[in-house]
Every structure is written in C-alpha cells, then in structure tokens.
Amino acid sequence: MNNQTWVKTVTQNRKKCEKIMAISKDIRYAGVFNEFGRTIAGKIRPGIKPIFSPDTVRQEFFAIASMMRLREKSAKRLGSVEFISISHKKINILLFYKNGMTYYITFNKKLKLNSTSINKVKKIITQG
C-alpha cells in the first residue's frame, strides 16, 4: 500500500470512528485494526480512562485479529461473520469484520446491545 492510499484509509476510518462515537455517549472507544492487530484508527471518548495499558491493547488487538482471520476461514461454510459481541463484567465489546479489518467498539454496560445499535454501527462501517 503506497503512502497516499494509507493516508486515505486512515482518514476514512478515523471519520467512521467519530461517527460511531456519535451514536451514544456510552460508547467508550471505537477503533479499527488490520489482520495483524495494527491500529489503523481509533478514538477514545474524552474523559474516559483507558482500561488497558498500551502493551495490553496490542495483545488484545492481535488476539482478536487472529480470531477474526480464523473465523474468515469458516465463512465459506457458515457465511461471513456479521458481528461478534463480547460481554464482560465492566464493559461490552462489539466487533465487525470487513475487508481484512476489524472494527472494535467498547461501550458501558448500561448501553444495552440491541439490533438498532448494531445496525447503526454496521451502516457506518459498510458506507464507502
């Protein structure tokens, strides 16, 4: 990927992250990383203290990216992954996968995951 294409990819994904964050004040973080877990773009809500250290974030993104690559291999039989929801005691995580990139969204427990919120995020990701 040349530098101009890279800058365009980062810019497009940064805008998507900002749009995702605008869906609800309960969204803590919206980010995108590639198939190796390298961050393309990300935005954390101002005033939110990150739960993970930078090293832990790299490990988390690498683990999720590896899982998404494995799920992609199952897609021939099962169909492509629409989304993955991970519920933790402190936060929820919503994952989407498109064109080798994983969209990683965290939100407070009080924002209930439902088809409306999932579809809002999915629409932003699939645009352009």
Side-chain angles (χ1 to χ4, degrees):
M1 182 180 297
N2 66 34
N3 191 42
Q4 188 176 12
T5 305
W6 175 252
V7 170
K8 183 178 177 183
T9 299
V10 170
T11 302
Q12 287 174 338
N13 283 293
R14 186 175 296 132
K15 287 178 183 175
K16 287 182 182 186
C17 290
E18 289 169 358
K19 287 179 182 179
I20 291 168
M21 295 291 288
I23 291 171
S24 170
K25 292 190 184 304
D26 288 315
I27 295 176
R28 297 172 52 88
Y29 173 81
V32 185
F33 51 85
N34 69 13
E35 66 266 7
F36 305 108
R38 181 172 180 218
T39 301
I40 307 295
K43 182 158 179 70
I44 192 164
R45 182 156 312 279
I48 295 292
K49 183 180 178 208
I51 293 174
F52 292 142
S53 70
D55 283 342
T56 305
V57 168
R58 280 190 288 279
Q59 292 170 1
E60 169 82 353
F61 287 0
F62 180 77
I64 297 290
S66 298
M67 179 189 69
M68 296 307 252
R69 282 194 315 272
L70 292 171
R71 299 301 322 145
E72 189 175 39
K73 292 179 182 186
S74 301
K76 288 181 176 85
R77 296 228 181 227
L78 302 174
S80 60
V81 172
E82 291 189 29
F83 69 91
I84 296 173
S85 172
I86 303 172
S87 181
H88 290 276
K89 205 169 197 172
K90 294 182 178 182
I91 64 164
N92 290 320
I93 302 169
L94 191 58
L95 305 169
F96 291 87
Y97 186 75
K98 183 182 178 198
N99 300 328
M101 292 192 290
T102 300
Y103 294 80
Y104 185 101
I105 299 101
T106 64
F107 50 97
N108 295 324
K109 291 294 275 189
K110 66 182 174 178
L111 178 66
K112 299 299 178 198
L113 185 62
N114 59 40
S115 60
T116 303
S117 56
I118 292 169
N119 287 332
K120 284 179 181 180
V121 174
K122 188 175 182 179
K123 183 177 180 182
I124 291 167
I125 291 169
T126 56
Q127 292 173 348

